[in-house]
Amino acid sequence: MTHSHDRPLRLAVDIGGTFVDAIAYDERTGLMRLNKASTTPDDPAAGVLDAVGGLIADLGDVEAFVHGTTLGLNAILQRRGADVGILTNEGFRDIFEIARAAIPADHMYDFSYSGPPPLVPRRHRLGVPGRIDAQGGVATELDEDAVVAAGRLLVEEGITSVAVCFLHSYANPEHERRAAALLREAFPGLSVSVSTDTTREYREYERTSTAVMDAYIRPVLNDYISVLDRGLRERGLADPMHIMRSGGGAMTADLARRAPLATVLSGPAGGVVGASYLARELGHPRILSFDVGGTSIDSCVIVDGEPGEVHEAAIDGFPLLIPIFDLRTIGAGGGSIAWIDDGLLKVGPRSAGAVPGPVAYGNGGTEPTVTDAALVLGYLDAAEFLGGRMRVDTAAAAEAVADRLARPLGVGVDEAAASVFRVMLARSVGALREITVERGLDPREFALLAFGGAGPLIGPMLARDMDIGTVVIPRVPAAFSAFGMLMSDLEYEFSTTVLRPLDDTGVAALEPLFEELEAQARDMLAAQGVRDAQSTLTRRLDVRYRGQEHTLGIDLVEGDTAASVLGRFHELHRSRHGHAMDEPGEVMTLRVRAVGHLPKPGLVEAPAATGAAEPVAKRDAYDLATGRTTPFAVYRRDHLAPGQRLDGPAVVEEGTSTTVIFGDQRLTVDPYGHLLVTAADPAADPEREDRP
């Protein structure tokens, strides 16, 4: 936690589906350098070390290293996790399979629907005698011999990881902890995940699912972190590696090994943290983050510098009770495959990934992707791809678009390629409407922060479709998620379910529980080297009306009473759902959020322009404003300076990313070097002047 200019570099790495992004920030100069390397699915640590090695030979100058990974997420999606067993109460071994007996919404009227086989087969789900009641009392003592016998049975079946989840352990985790200790002592090689180590909240199925997912990815992530940590230390890294959490903030690699589920969406989280930081620094009250990578698009609403956050999510149908940003993800990105299904053009969710990649890469890919379509339409320059470091074949991309898309659809090659973007935009609009319009928010009141390798290409298209006034293209957009990781603090959340009336008596009884959670939080921060002066603890109550299922979070302030909390809950309920109710309030969950503040690089103003921007070339590309191919002026981003303005159609290239401005749009450069894309003639739309 020391901060010294003897080691002035801060380094962050983000693994995507196609590329690994590494970004180095020099605190002395404010300069950022970026390097990309191909993702290596068979040995993910190798791709990270390649990206880092191409940027910094000796890591001895690195003060802080933060890493975001989707390795755990991919293990779940691709079913490549550990063989998991479940240990629970006798008679309740089927909780995980019964789930909520719910049929997915997209199969609601499918009477022949049969769910996927359970992740943990029944023979690997065992119950043992022992019972905690809902008040936390011991109704039946834990049968310790039965725990060891169950563990032996699972190990003999080849199980390498066990999830321990008992009824009502949120009220008293004593039996879970004892069972875990017995298993670890009897079977030292067995990985054990305890539900209450991840979440102390009610809902047995959701808590079981959370514990199973933790057990499923724990060995995979543990092996990866060990290999990567060793490789980084061999290259001179002195301080411990930090891993991004799904709900923002970072934690040490050692803690990530003990709580792997907290990292499951750590890659996209970096982008949200960076977007929140930029929203605060630039004074944008409302931002939509729009992260377009190789395989997916992730979007999040940020209001007054704070991103939306939830405490329950689902991955591939499995519920997770973990703090996580309220992201909407769709399977469409630069590497997404365009294909024909019953005469209809579809884009994604399948991706060409890093191997074989788009057709233009020449690595064996045969199905056209979004990247191939962008080359065909002239948005990308084959000679400048990845700054000229990677050879791509536009002719091969055009042939694939013609063969697989244009001929089956009966249209020209340019029309087929343009249709790929129309379909992708329709899916993107749907995702953004979910988190704005469907929640009573007007997307026209937001600025769109577009990043990721393909974000600056897709963002201006999306703004035209959704009538969004301003698109912000940050510096180093292709590595913006990694940049966001440099903005992260150390963050942890501790919670427990209580279910008490929201009255003065009930609130007074919560004080010792809050003090217990805060003690855990301080211990955690101290273990990471955080001093009290560097930390902030925030208390929160999850509140609902009596009889409701779902809750809203209310942060507590000094001097709060039951009446003041209920009043703020009424206001929040009214703003979120359009009404408040004349019903008593209930406290469902206590939460303590602990933040260990780390030093962060600030925004640095760039020298103002001394003249007009000059294009370096012209090339033909497809203009969405006119629906035809037309000459686009080509600019280099490193030649642009604050105050300069460009009118579309134009392309701004920066090696790892390309910004496309269409004929009805204009680009200006702000004082920090960010690119702002707006409508070309605001006077033609008087309402636009009120937009960000």
Side-chain angles (χ1 to χ4, degrees):
M1 291 298 299
T2 58
H3 181 60
S4 168
H5 285 292
D6 294 337
R7 287 182 286 139
L9 296 180
R10 298 168 66 86
L11 183 62
V13 174
D14 176 33
I15 297 185
T18 311
F19 290 107
V20 179
D21 297 323
I23 186 169
Y25 175 83
D26 191 322
E27 294 181 329
R28 295 169 301 188
T29 64
L31 293 177
M32 288 186 283
R33 291 184 295 125
L34 166 67
N35 189 42
K36 277 182 172 289
S38 290
T39 300
T40 48
D42 293 336
D43 181 8
V48 174
L49 295 172
D50 285 347
V52 170
L55 201 58
I56 304 171
D58 180 8
L59 299 184
D61 285 339
V62 173
E63 177 201 19
F65 180 96
V66 188
H67 179 32
T69 175
T70 52
L71 194 69
L73 174 64
N74 292 341
I76 295 171
L77 297 178
Q78 298 167 10
R79 295 294 189 269
R80 292 183 178 176
D83 291 323
V84 176
I86 296 175
L87 187 69
T88 187
N89 299 90
E90 190 174 52
F92 288 87
R93 64 192 291 196
D94 295 318
I95 280 178
F96 186 59
E97 183 171 356
I98 293 170
R100 298 249 170 239
I103 294 174
D106 51 347
H107 289 281
M108 189 175 296
Y109 302 107
D110 180 359
F111 296 108
S112 62
Y113 173 74
S114 177
L119 191 65
V120 183
R122 196 168 196 266
R123 67 182 182 278
H124 296 158
R125 306 191 302 258
L126 304 179
V128 296
R131 188 70 173 269
I132 300 286
D133 64 27
Q135 286 69 45
V138 177
T140 306
E141 292 293 342
L142 180 67
D143 187 333
E144 299 189 355
D145 292 338
V147 170
V148 175
R152 183 171 294 108
L153 227 154
L154 292 172
V155 169
E156 288 171 354
E157 281 277 309
I159 295 302
T160 57
S161 192
V162 171
V164 179
C165 188
F166 292 148
L167 294 178
H168 305 305
S169 55
Y170 61 86
N172 179 356
E174 175 189 333
H175 281 186
E176 280 194 356
R177 291 175 180 170
R178 180 58 184 152
L182 290 167
L183 291 174
R184 289 170 179 145
E185 182 182 351
F187 313 102
L190 187 66
S191 175
V192 181
S193 294
V194 180
S195 84
T196 44
D197 285 351
T198 306
T199 177
R200 289 273 305 261
E201 296 184 38
Y202 82 130
R203 295 179 183 161
E204 256 60 45
Y205 164 58
E206 285 80 1
R207 194 155 41 80
T208 300
S209 175
T210 304
V212 168
M213 291 300 104
D214 188 87
Y216 192 62
I217 68 173
R218 181 181 290 262
V220 176
L221 207 67
N222 190 55
D223 290 347
Y224 166 72
I225 291 174
S226 298
V227 171
L228 180 58
D229 199 32
R230 185 165 60 249
L232 292 169
R233 291 191 180 280
E234 287 171 357
R235 287 161 175 76
L237 185 70
D239 281 9
M241 172 174 67
H242 286 81
I243 309 285
M244 278 294 294
R245 293 170 61 255
S246 301
M251 57 185 176
T252 62
D254 283 343
L255 186 59
R257 287 191 186 99
R258 300 199 300 272
L261 199 62
T263 72
V264 73
L265 285 173
S266 65
V272 175
V273 171
S276 304
Y277 167 81
L278 216 54
R280 291 191 294 269
E281 292 292 310
L282 297 178
H284 275 292
R286 295 189 166 207
I287 284 268
L288 289 172
S289 74
F290 186 65
D291 179 2
V292 188
T295 56
S296 65
I297 295 175
D298 302 297
S299 50
C300 184
V301 169
I302 297 164
V303 177
D304 296 330
E306 293 297 326
E309 190 179 56
V310 293
H311 296 89
E312 182 176 345
I315 293 179
D316 210 24
F318 297 110
L320 304 175
L321 293 176
I322 56 172
I324 198 166
F325 286 134
D326 190 8
L327 286 159
R328 282 300 172 275
T329 299
I330 59 172
S336 293
I337 292 168
W339 53 293
I340 306 294
D341 180 27
D342 279 344
L344 296 176
L345 175 63
K346 296 192 174 181
V347 180
R350 288 188 304 125
S351 172
V355 180
V359 175
Y361 287 8
N363 290 333
T366 59
E367 298 179 280
T369 66
V370 172
T371 297
D372 294 310
L375 283 162
V376 169
L377 294 176
Y379 299 146
L380 304 179
D381 182 355
E384 289 295 322
F385 202 81
L386 278 191
R389 290 186 290 119
M390 184 173 178
R391 294 182 64 84
V392 294
D393 187 345
T394 302
E399 187 178 338
V401 170
D403 184 47
R404 297 293 187 108
L405 304 178
R407 290 191 190 100
L409 292 171
V411 299
V413 173
D414 280 2
E415 180 60 26
S419 296
V420 170
F421 283 98
R422 292 190 189 103
V423 172
M424 189 177 185
L425 284 173
R427 297 188 64 197
S428 302
V429 168
L432 287 177
R433 285 178 64 88
E434 276 186 38
I435 56 176
T436 54
V437 176
E438 292 182 15
R439 297 181 180 180
L441 300 173
D442 186 345
R444 296 173 300 179
E445 296 174 355
F446 287 75
L448 185 76
L449 181 67
F451 56 94
L457 170 60
I458 308 292
M461 297 181 185
L462 186 70
R464 296 178 72 258
D465 267 25
M466 298 190 72
D467 201 20
I468 291 173
T470 302
V471 181
V472 181
I473 312 294
R475 293 168 61 196
V476 291
F480 187 75
S481 287
F483 169 80
M485 293 169 195
L486 296 179
M487 303 298 111
S488 62
D489 292 312
L490 300 176
E491 293 188 22
Y492 310 94
E493 186 177 278
F494 302 85
S495 63
T496 186
T497 294
V498 290
L499 192 54
R500 303 269 175 87
L502 181 54
D503 55 29
D504 288 333
T505 304
V507 168
L510 302 179
E511 183 62 28
L513 297 174
F514 268 126
E515 289 175 356
E516 181 184 340
L517 294 178
E518 287 175 339
Q520 294 176 33
R522 289 192 187 93
D523 288 346
M524 179 65 75
L525 290 175
Q528 310 299 301
V530 179
R531 297 187 298 272
D532 284 349
Q534 296 171 290
S535 64
T536 304
L537 301 183
T538 304
R539 294 180 173 188
R540 170 176 282 197
L541 295 177
D542 284 1
V543 179
R544 66 182 187 182
Y545 290 118
R546 188 174 61 191
Q548 275 187 322
E549 172 67 11
H550 295 289
T551 61
L552 294 174
I554 306 294
D555 286 342
L556 298 184
V557 296
E558 191 74 31
D560 257 337
T561 62
S564 63
V565 172
L566 185 59
R568 292 209 301 282
F569 173 70
H570 285 319
E571 291 174 15
L572 185 58
H573 198 281
R574 189 177 288 108
S575 69
R576 291 277 179 88
H577 304 297
H579 69 284
M581 299 168 65
D582 186 19
E583 289 285 340
E586 283 184 328
V587 177
M588 178 56 64
T589 305
L590 307 189
R591 301 185 190 277
V592 168
R593 186 178 190 182
V595 179
H597 299 283
L598 298 177
K600 301 173 185 62
L603 291 183
V604 178
E605 288 196 16
T610 56
E614 295 293 336
V616 296
K618 283 204 168 189
R619 74 166 176 265
D620 288 344
Y622 187 86
D623 186 4
L624 290 179
T626 60
R628 60 177 182 265
T629 300
T630 190
F632 276 57
V634 180
Y635 297 85
R636 293 278 311 164
R637 183 162 186 177
D638 55 2
H639 294 175
L640 301 180
Q644 289 179 329
R645 175 179 293 178
L646 320 174
D647 286 323
V651 169
V652 178
E653 295 179 336
E654 53 183 300
T656 56
S657 192
T658 299
T659 302
V660 179
I661 307 108
F662 298 100
D664 54 357
Q665 293 178 319
R666 170 178 292 163
L667 179 147
T668 54
V669 185
D670 84 351
Y672 304 102
H674 305 120
L675 309 182
L676 309 179
V677 180
T678 59
D681 186 12
D685 181 2
E687 293 183 4
R688 192 177 295 282
E689 294 177 4
D690 296 330
R691 296 180 197 154

